[in-house]
Amino acid sequence: MIRLPGLIDPHVHVREPGQTHKEDWDTVTQAALAGGVTAILAMPNTKPPIFDHSTLDLALDAARQKARCDYAQFVGAGPDNADILPFIAPKAAGLKMYLDSTFGELRLNDMTLWQPHFEKYPKEYPIVLHSESRTMAAGILFAAIYDRPVHIAHISLREEVLLIKAAKEHGIKVTCEVCPHHLFLTKDDIPAISHGHPGRGEVRPRLATREDVDALWENLDVIDCFATDHAPHTIEEKDSDNPPPGFPGLETLLPLLLTAVDGGRLTTDDIIEKSVINPRKIFNIIEQPETWVEVDERAEYEIHAADQFTRCGWTPFEGWKVKGKVRKVVLRGKTVFEDGKLLVEKGYGQNIRER
Ligand SMILES: [Zn+2]
Protein backbone atom coordinates (compact mmCIF):
# COMPACT_ATOMS: atom_id res chain seq x y z
CA MET A 1 0.00 0.00 0.00
CA ILE A 2 1.06 3.56 -0.74
CA ARG A 3 -0.34 6.48 1.20
CA LEU A 4 -0.80 9.76 -0.69
CA PRO A 5 -2.21 13.09 0.49
CA GLY A 6 -5.74 13.77 -0.80
CA LEU A 7 -5.52 14.93 -4.41
CA ILE A 8 -6.75 18.35 -5.57
CA ASP A 9 -8.36 18.60 -9.00
CA PRO A 10 -8.30 22.24 -10.11
CA HIS A 11 -10.50 21.74 -13.18
CA VAL A 12 -13.92 20.07 -12.81
CA HIS A 13 -17.25 20.69 -14.57
CA VAL A 14 -19.92 19.93 -11.99
CA ARG A 15 -22.93 20.72 -14.30
CA GLU A 16 -25.01 22.11 -11.44
CA PRO A 17 -26.80 24.48 -11.70
CA GLY A 18 -28.65 23.69 -14.90
CA GLN A 19 -27.59 20.32 -16.31
CA THR A 20 -28.02 17.87 -13.47
CA HIS A 21 -29.02 15.06 -15.84
CA LYS A 22 -25.27 14.94 -16.71
CA GLU A 23 -23.88 15.35 -13.16
CA ASP A 24 -24.54 17.29 -9.96
CA TRP A 25 -22.70 18.24 -6.78
CA ASP A 26 -23.58 14.86 -5.28
CA THR A 27 -22.43 12.55 -8.08
CA VAL A 28 -19.37 14.60 -9.03
CA THR A 29 -18.05 14.56 -5.47
CA GLN A 30 -18.74 10.82 -5.21
CA ALA A 31 -16.66 10.36 -8.37
CA ALA A 32 -13.95 12.58 -6.90
CA LEU A 33 -13.65 10.61 -3.66
CA ALA A 34 -13.69 7.28 -5.52
CA GLY A 35 -10.76 8.65 -7.52
CA GLY A 36 -8.76 9.77 -4.47
CA VAL A 37 -9.59 13.44 -5.05
CA THR A 38 -10.54 15.23 -1.82
CA ALA A 39 -10.94 18.77 -3.18
CA ILE A 40 -12.30 20.01 -6.51
CA LEU A 41 -12.35 23.44 -8.09
CA ALA A 42 -15.57 23.86 -10.09
CA MET A 43 -15.69 25.64 -13.45
CA PRO A 44 -18.22 28.48 -13.99
CA ASN A 45 -19.74 27.59 -17.38
CA THR A 46 -22.91 26.13 -15.89
CA LYS A 47 -26.49 27.13 -16.78
CA PRO A 48 -26.68 29.91 -15.80
CA PRO A 49 -22.95 30.61 -15.75
CA ILE A 50 -21.42 31.72 -12.43
CA PHE A 51 -20.54 35.38 -13.00
CA ASP A 52 -21.96 37.49 -10.15
CA HIS A 53 -23.09 37.30 -6.50
CA SER A 54 -26.45 35.64 -7.12
CA THR A 55 -25.19 32.97 -9.54
CA LEU A 56 -22.26 32.19 -7.21
CA ASP A 57 -24.77 31.72 -4.37
CA LEU A 58 -26.78 29.39 -6.60
CA ALA A 59 -23.78 27.08 -7.08
CA LEU A 60 -22.56 27.34 -3.48
CA ASP A 61 -26.01 26.61 -2.04
CA ALA A 62 -26.20 23.39 -4.07
CA ALA A 63 -22.63 22.49 -3.09
CA ARG A 64 -23.32 23.11 0.61
CA GLN A 65 -26.24 20.69 0.53
CA LYS A 66 -24.76 17.97 -1.66
CA ALA A 67 -20.96 17.96 -1.78
CA ARG A 68 -19.19 14.99 -0.18
CA CYS A 69 -15.65 16.32 -0.74
CA ASP A 70 -14.21 19.81 -0.30
CA TYR A 71 -14.60 22.35 -3.06
CA ALA A 72 -14.40 25.90 -4.32
CA GLN A 73 -16.26 27.53 -7.20
CA PHE A 74 -14.71 29.64 -9.99
CA VAL A 75 -16.38 32.80 -11.27
CA GLY A 76 -16.33 33.54 -14.99
CA ALA A 77 -15.12 36.69 -16.74
CA GLY A 78 -17.78 38.32 -18.88
CA PRO A 79 -17.94 41.48 -20.98
CA ASP A 80 -19.34 43.62 -18.16
CA ASN A 81 -18.59 42.09 -14.74
CA ALA A 82 -14.95 43.20 -14.17
CA ASP A 83 -16.02 45.86 -11.64
CA ILE A 84 -17.94 43.53 -9.33
CA LEU A 85 -15.60 40.54 -9.40
CA PRO A 86 -12.94 41.98 -7.03
CA PHE A 87 -15.61 41.94 -4.30
CA ILE A 88 -16.45 38.31 -5.05
CA ALA A 89 -12.83 37.16 -5.40
CA PRO A 90 -12.29 36.09 -1.74
CA LYS A 91 -15.27 33.70 -2.02
CA ALA A 92 -14.23 32.21 -5.39
CA ALA A 93 -11.70 29.55 -6.39
CA GLY A 94 -10.39 32.07 -8.90
CA LEU A 95 -11.36 33.84 -12.12
CA LYS A 96 -11.83 31.74 -15.26
CA MET A 97 -11.44 33.51 -18.58
CA TYR A 98 -12.51 31.82 -21.80
CA LEU A 99 -10.25 33.48 -24.37
CA ASP A 100 -11.13 31.13 -27.21
CA SER A 101 -14.66 30.60 -28.45
CA THR A 102 -17.46 30.31 -25.91
CA PHE A 103 -21.01 31.53 -25.71
CA GLY A 104 -23.38 33.63 -23.66
CA GLU A 105 -22.39 35.58 -20.58
CA LEU A 106 -18.77 34.38 -20.56
CA ARG A 107 -18.01 35.49 -24.10
CA LEU A 108 -14.99 37.79 -24.45
CA ASN A 109 -15.07 38.80 -28.08
CA ASP A 110 -11.90 40.84 -28.24
CA MET A 111 -8.83 41.70 -26.17
CA THR A 112 -10.25 45.02 -24.95
CA LEU A 113 -12.59 42.87 -22.83
CA TRP A 114 -9.62 41.03 -21.28
CA GLN A 115 -7.98 44.23 -20.06
CA PRO A 116 -10.36 45.30 -17.26
CA HIS A 117 -10.18 41.81 -15.74
CA PHE A 118 -6.37 41.82 -15.73
CA GLU A 119 -6.39 45.34 -14.29
CA LYS A 120 -8.96 44.79 -11.56
CA TYR A 121 -8.99 41.17 -10.40
CA PRO A 122 -6.87 41.11 -7.20
CA LYS A 123 -3.39 39.74 -7.87
CA GLU A 124 -3.47 37.46 -4.83
CA TYR A 125 -6.28 35.41 -6.38
CA PRO A 126 -5.68 33.15 -9.36
CA ILE A 127 -6.71 33.78 -12.97
CA VAL A 128 -7.12 30.66 -15.12
CA LEU A 129 -7.15 30.95 -18.90
CA HIS A 130 -8.79 28.66 -21.40
CA SER A 131 -6.50 29.67 -24.24
CA GLU A 132 -5.20 27.44 -26.98
CA SER A 133 -2.15 27.84 -29.24
CA ARG A 134 -1.59 31.50 -30.24
CA THR A 135 -4.37 32.71 -27.94
CA MET A 136 -2.30 31.23 -25.11
CA ALA A 137 0.66 33.35 -26.23
CA ALA A 138 -1.59 36.42 -26.04
CA GLY A 139 -2.70 35.43 -22.54
CA ILE A 140 0.93 35.09 -21.42
CA LEU A 141 1.64 38.55 -22.84
CA PHE A 142 -1.17 39.90 -20.64
CA ALA A 143 0.46 38.22 -17.61
CA ALA A 144 3.72 39.96 -18.49
CA ILE A 145 2.13 43.38 -19.12
CA TYR A 146 0.08 43.35 -15.93
CA ASP A 147 2.80 41.53 -13.96
CA ARG A 148 0.45 39.04 -12.37
CA PRO A 149 0.22 35.23 -12.27
CA VAL A 150 -1.88 33.32 -14.79
CA HIS A 151 -2.59 29.60 -14.91
CA ILE A 152 -3.10 28.03 -18.34
CA ALA A 153 -5.77 25.32 -18.36
CA HIS A 154 -5.32 21.96 -20.11
CA ILE A 155 -2.29 22.45 -22.33
CA SER A 156 -2.08 19.83 -25.07
CA LEU A 157 0.38 20.97 -27.74
CA ARG A 158 4.16 20.86 -28.15
CA GLU A 159 4.15 24.56 -29.11
CA GLU A 160 2.28 25.38 -25.89
CA VAL A 161 4.55 23.56 -23.47
CA LEU A 162 7.66 24.97 -25.19
CA LEU A 163 6.34 28.55 -25.01
CA ILE A 164 5.42 28.17 -21.33
CA LYS A 165 8.92 26.84 -20.70
CA ALA A 166 10.41 29.92 -22.37
CA ALA A 167 8.03 32.26 -20.52
CA LYS A 168 9.00 30.71 -17.16
CA GLU A 169 12.69 31.04 -18.03
CA HIS A 170 12.06 34.75 -18.62
CA GLY A 171 10.41 35.21 -15.24
CA ILE A 172 6.82 35.55 -16.40
CA LYS A 173 4.41 34.30 -13.72
CA VAL A 174 2.77 31.52 -15.68
CA THR A 175 1.76 28.05 -14.50
CA CYS A 176 -0.09 25.31 -16.35
CA GLU A 177 -1.95 22.05 -16.07
CA VAL A 178 -2.27 18.98 -18.28
CA CYS A 179 -5.12 16.45 -18.41
CA PRO A 180 -4.59 12.69 -18.36
CA HIS A 181 -6.39 12.32 -21.69
CA HIS A 182 -3.79 14.57 -23.32
CA LEU A 183 -0.99 12.48 -21.77
CA PHE A 184 -2.40 9.03 -22.49
CA LEU A 185 -4.36 9.47 -25.75
CA THR A 186 -3.54 10.83 -29.22
CA LYS A 187 -5.92 11.61 -32.07
CA ASP A 188 -5.06 8.19 -33.48
CA ASP A 189 -6.96 6.66 -30.52
CA ILE A 190 -10.25 8.30 -31.54
CA PRO A 191 -11.56 5.28 -33.51
CA ALA A 192 -10.92 2.98 -30.53
CA ILE A 193 -12.65 5.40 -28.10
CA SER A 194 -15.56 5.89 -30.46
CA HIS A 195 -16.92 2.33 -30.77
CA GLY A 196 -18.61 3.56 -33.96
CA HIS A 197 -19.81 6.81 -32.35
CA PRO A 198 -17.34 9.54 -33.40
CA GLY A 199 -18.84 11.98 -30.88
CA ARG A 200 -17.17 10.08 -28.05
CA GLY A 201 -13.76 11.28 -29.27
CA GLU A 202 -14.80 14.95 -29.13
CA VAL A 203 -12.98 16.97 -26.45
CA ARG A 204 -11.58 20.51 -26.23
CA PRO A 205 -8.68 20.94 -26.60
CA ARG A 206 -8.81 18.14 -29.16
CA LEU A 207 -6.68 15.05 -28.77
CA ALA A 208 -3.33 15.90 -30.33
CA THR A 209 -0.57 14.15 -32.28
CA ARG A 210 1.99 11.66 -30.98
CA GLU A 211 4.61 14.41 -31.30
CA ASP A 212 2.57 16.72 -29.06
CA VAL A 213 2.01 14.00 -26.45
CA ASP A 214 5.71 13.10 -26.47
CA ALA A 215 6.61 16.78 -25.95
CA LEU A 216 4.35 16.94 -22.85
CA TRP A 217 6.07 13.88 -21.36
CA GLU A 218 9.54 15.25 -22.23
CA ASN A 219 8.72 18.54 -20.51
CA LEU A 220 6.90 17.25 -17.44
CA ASP A 221 9.04 19.57 -15.28
CA VAL A 222 7.35 22.54 -17.00
CA ILE A 223 3.90 21.23 -16.08
CA ASP A 224 2.71 22.39 -12.66
CA CYS A 225 -0.51 20.43 -12.20
CA PHE A 226 -2.51 17.44 -13.31
CA ALA A 227 -6.16 18.36 -13.84
CA THR A 228 -8.94 16.17 -15.17
CA ASP A 229 -11.14 18.76 -16.94
CA HIS A 230 -13.84 16.27 -15.86
CA ALA A 231 -16.57 17.22 -18.37
CA PRO A 232 -19.43 14.74 -18.11
CA HIS A 233 -22.00 14.38 -20.88
CA THR A 234 -24.37 11.43 -21.07
CA ILE A 235 -23.67 8.60 -23.47
CA GLU A 236 -26.88 9.52 -25.34
CA GLU A 237 -25.59 13.07 -25.86
CA LYS A 238 -22.14 11.86 -26.94
CA ASP A 239 -23.71 9.48 -29.47
CA SER A 240 -26.18 12.06 -30.84
CA ASP A 241 -25.89 14.00 -34.10
CA ASN A 242 -24.60 17.03 -32.20
CA PRO A 243 -22.14 15.55 -29.67
CA PRO A 244 -20.88 17.96 -26.98
CA PRO A 245 -17.10 17.89 -26.40
CA GLY A 246 -15.76 16.58 -23.09
CA PHE A 247 -14.61 13.49 -21.19
CA PRO A 248 -15.25 12.40 -17.61
CA GLY A 249 -11.96 11.95 -15.74
CA LEU A 250 -12.16 12.02 -11.95
CA GLU A 251 -12.18 8.25 -11.48
CA THR A 252 -9.47 7.46 -14.05
CA LEU A 253 -6.91 10.14 -13.09
CA LEU A 254 -5.10 8.29 -10.33
CA PRO A 255 -5.21 4.77 -11.85
CA LEU A 256 -3.71 6.14 -15.09
CA LEU A 257 -1.00 8.06 -13.24
CA LEU A 258 -0.17 5.06 -11.03
CA THR A 259 0.08 2.87 -14.13
CA ALA A 260 2.60 5.38 -15.50
CA VAL A 261 4.50 5.13 -12.20
CA ASP A 262 4.55 1.34 -12.61
CA GLY A 263 5.86 1.83 -16.16
CA GLY A 264 8.67 4.08 -14.93
CA ARG A 265 7.40 7.20 -16.72
CA LEU A 266 6.41 9.02 -13.52
CA THR A 267 7.16 8.88 -9.79
CA THR A 268 4.75 9.06 -6.88
CA ASP A 269 6.57 12.27 -5.94
CA ASP A 270 5.53 13.70 -9.33
CA ILE A 271 1.90 12.88 -8.49
CA ILE A 272 2.17 14.53 -5.07
CA GLU A 273 3.88 17.58 -6.55
CA LYS A 274 1.41 18.10 -9.41
CA SER A 275 -1.81 16.98 -7.72
CA VAL A 276 -1.27 18.28 -4.19
CA ILE A 277 1.64 20.65 -3.54
CA ASN A 278 1.46 22.84 -6.65
CA PRO A 279 -2.35 23.18 -6.73
CA ARG A 280 -2.22 24.22 -3.06
CA LYS A 281 0.29 26.94 -3.90
CA ILE A 282 -1.27 28.20 -7.13
CA PHE A 283 -4.84 28.27 -5.82
CA ASN A 284 -4.13 29.22 -2.16
CA ILE A 285 -5.58 26.05 -0.68
CA ILE A 286 -4.78 25.26 2.92
CA GLU A 287 -3.78 21.73 3.81
CA GLN A 288 -6.71 19.42 4.53
CA PRO A 289 -5.95 18.01 7.99
CA GLU A 290 -5.99 14.21 8.54
CA THR A 291 -6.64 13.62 4.86
CA TRP A 292 -5.06 10.82 2.83
CA VAL A 293 -5.58 8.18 0.16
CA GLU A 294 -4.52 4.55 0.45
CA VAL A 295 -3.61 2.99 -2.84
CA ASP A 296 -2.88 -0.64 -3.66
CA GLU A 297 -0.12 -0.08 -6.17
CA ARG A 298 -0.10 -3.75 -7.22
CA ALA A 299 -3.83 -4.18 -7.93
CA GLU A 300 -4.43 -4.76 -11.64
CA TYR A 301 -7.89 -4.31 -13.12
CA GLU A 302 -9.84 -3.00 -16.10
CA ILE A 303 -11.56 0.38 -16.19
CA HIS A 304 -15.31 0.07 -16.76
CA ALA A 305 -17.89 2.84 -16.80
CA ALA A 306 -20.29 0.50 -15.00
CA ASP A 307 -18.07 0.70 -11.89
CA GLN A 308 -18.00 4.51 -11.79
CA PHE A 309 -19.93 6.98 -9.66
CA THR A 310 -20.18 9.75 -12.26
CA ARG A 311 -23.69 10.08 -13.65
CA CYS A 312 -22.56 10.31 -17.28
CA GLY A 313 -22.29 6.55 -17.82
CA TRP A 314 -19.18 6.23 -20.01
CA THR A 315 -15.41 6.70 -20.09
CA PRO A 316 -12.95 7.11 -22.96
CA PHE A 317 -10.74 4.57 -21.13
CA GLU A 318 -13.31 1.73 -21.20
CA GLY A 319 -11.53 -1.62 -21.00
CA TRP A 320 -8.08 -0.16 -20.29
CA LYS A 321 -5.91 -2.29 -18.07
CA VAL A 322 -4.45 -0.29 -15.20
CA LYS A 323 -2.28 -1.03 -12.18
CA GLY A 324 -3.02 0.90 -9.00
CA LYS A 325 -6.34 1.06 -7.17
CA VAL A 326 -7.78 3.49 -4.63
CA ARG A 327 -8.58 1.38 -1.54
CA LYS A 328 -9.44 3.95 1.07
CA VAL A 329 -9.89 7.70 1.34
CA VAL A 330 -9.85 9.61 4.62
CA LEU A 331 -11.06 13.22 4.59
CA ARG A 332 -10.62 15.35 7.71
CA GLY A 333 -10.33 12.27 9.91
CA LYS A 334 -13.36 10.42 8.49
CA THR A 335 -13.14 7.36 6.23
CA VAL A 336 -15.20 8.56 3.28
CA PHE A 337 -14.49 5.77 0.77
CA GLU A 338 -13.35 2.18 1.22
CA ASP A 339 -13.22 -0.82 -1.11
CA GLY A 340 -15.57 0.62 -3.70
CA LYS A 341 -18.11 2.04 -1.25
CA LEU A 342 -18.92 5.67 -0.43
CA LEU A 343 -19.14 6.07 3.35
CA VAL A 344 -19.97 9.75 3.68
CA GLU A 345 -23.21 11.70 3.55
CA LYS A 346 -24.12 14.57 1.27
CA GLY A 347 -23.08 17.89 2.77
CA TYR A 348 -19.88 16.68 4.45
CA GLY A 349 -17.80 18.64 1.93
CA GLN A 350 -16.58 22.09 2.97
CA ASN A 351 -16.06 25.21 0.92
CA ILE A 352 -12.30 25.72 1.11
CA ARG A 353 -12.80 29.49 0.78
CA GLU A 354 -14.91 29.56 3.96
CA ARG A 355 -12.41 27.86 6.22
ZN1 LIG B 1 -12.93 22.67 -18.85
Side-chain angles (χ1 to χ4, degrees):
M1 292 281 181
I2 304 176
R3 188 187 270 210
L4 301 169
L7 271 50
I8 299 165
D9 186 349
H11 195 141
V12 173
H13 295 272
V14 172
R15 305 299 187 206
E16 184 171 15
Q19 294 181 307
T20 52
H21 67 286
K22 299 175 196 270
E23 196 84 289
D24 68 4
W25 277 97
D26 181 9
T27 52
V28 81
T29 53
Q30 291 187 42
L33 290 175
V37 174
T38 54
I40 61 168
L41 304 186
M43 284 296 151
N45 61 336
T46 46
K47 292 193 173 171
I50 308 309
F51 67 104
D52 61 9
H53 282 285
S54 63
T55 49
L56 179 63
D57 285 346
L58 208 56
L60 292 181
D61 284 346
R64 197 172 298 121
Q65 291 169 40
K66 295 186 182 177
R68 298 176 198 243
C69 73
D70 293 349
Y71 58 88
Q73 171 67 53
F74 279 96
V75 288
D80 50 21
N81 64 352
D83 287 328
I84 59 160
L85 290 180
F87 301 100
I88 301 176
K91 291 168 68 181
L95 174 67
K96 178 73 183 287
M97 299 180 69
Y98 290 89
L99 303 188
D100 293 298
S101 60
T102 189
F103 302 97
E105 286 89 339
L106 304 185
R107 181 176 217 141
L108 300 168
N109 275 333
D110 65 68
M111 287 186 279
T112 63
L113 298 176
W114 305 2
Q115 277 176 294
H117 291 289
F118 274 85
E119 280 165 12
K120 291 172 185 173
Y121 204 73
K123 282 187 185 180
E124 65 268 35
Y125 299 108
I127 289 184
V128 176
L129 306 180
H130 179 134
S131 59
E132 301 180 32
S133 185
R134 293 175 194 188
T135 312
M136 189 203 78
I140 292 174
L141 177 63
F142 270 68
I145 292 172
Y146 292 96
D147 187 29
R148 61 152 304 138
V150 296
H151 179 78
I152 310 294
H154 44 50
I155 68 164
S156 63
L157 302 175
R158 180 172 180 268
E159 62 173 359
E160 291 170 347
V161 74
L162 294 181
L163 188 71
I164 290 171
K165 183 173 191 236
K168 286 183 171 190
E169 284 167 3
H170 286 78
I172 297 174
K173 298 181 183 98
V174 57
T175 55
C176 68
E177 68 193 26
V178 68
C179 305
H181 51 265
H182 291 125
L183 283 178
F184 294 99
L185 297 171
T186 72
K187 63 188 177 116
D188 299 331
D189 293 309
I190 292 174
I193 297 168
S194 298
H195 300 283
H197 302 278
R200 293 192 202 178
E202 290 290 337
V203 67
R204 299 290 178 276
R206 289 184 166 83
L207 296 179
T209 65
R210 170 53 57 194
E211 195 192 13
D212 290 309
V213 172
D214 288 346
L216 296 179
W217 282 102
E218 282 159 21
N219 292 282
L220 266 186
D221 56 328
V222 178
I223 292 161
D224 300 277
C225 303
F226 296 129
T228 64
D229 194 9
H230 179 84
H233 301 287
T234 66
I235 193 76
E236 293 77 17
E237 291 167 332
K238 292 298 279 182
D239 293 352
S240 72
D241 293 336
N242 189 20
F247 295 162
L250 278 165
E251 288 158 273
T252 44
L253 165 76
L254 194 45
L256 290 168
L257 295 177
L258 290 166
T259 305
V261 171
D262 184 61
R265 305 182 82 187
L266 213 57
T267 65
T268 46
D269 281 347
D270 290 330
I271 299 178
I272 295 168
E273 179 189 74
K274 296 178 201 305
S275 286
V276 183
I277 295 169
N278 289 343
R280 267 188 206 151
K281 269 191 233 159
I282 294 165
F283 297 98
N284 319 316
I285 298 171
I286 59 164
E287 191 173 333
Q288 295 173 292
E290 289 185 80
T291 298
W292 68 86
V293 180
E294 271 178 30
V295 158
D296 182 349
E297 75 277 22
R298 295 202 196 118
E300 293 182 66
Y301 65 105
E302 281 186 14
I303 291 171
H304 291 296
D307 301 329
Q308 299 198 334
F309 288 86
T310 174
R311 185 168 287 152
C312 73
W314 78 287
T315 165
F317 300 104
E318 182 70 36
W320 277 44
K321 289 182 175 56
V322 287
K323 189 170 178 182
K325 196 174 183 92
V326 176
R327 284 288 180 211
K328 181 175 175 177
V329 181
V330 176
L331 172 55
R332 286 181 275 104
K334 181 179 171 60
T335 300
V336 291
F337 178 86
E338 192 165 21
D339 291 330
K341 289 194 180 65
L342 254 298
L343 301 172
V344 64
E345 297 305 307
K346 290 196 278 187
Y348 182 73
Q350 291 184 357
N351 184 343
I352 55 184
R353 290 294 185 252
E354 284 177 359
R355 270 198 268 129

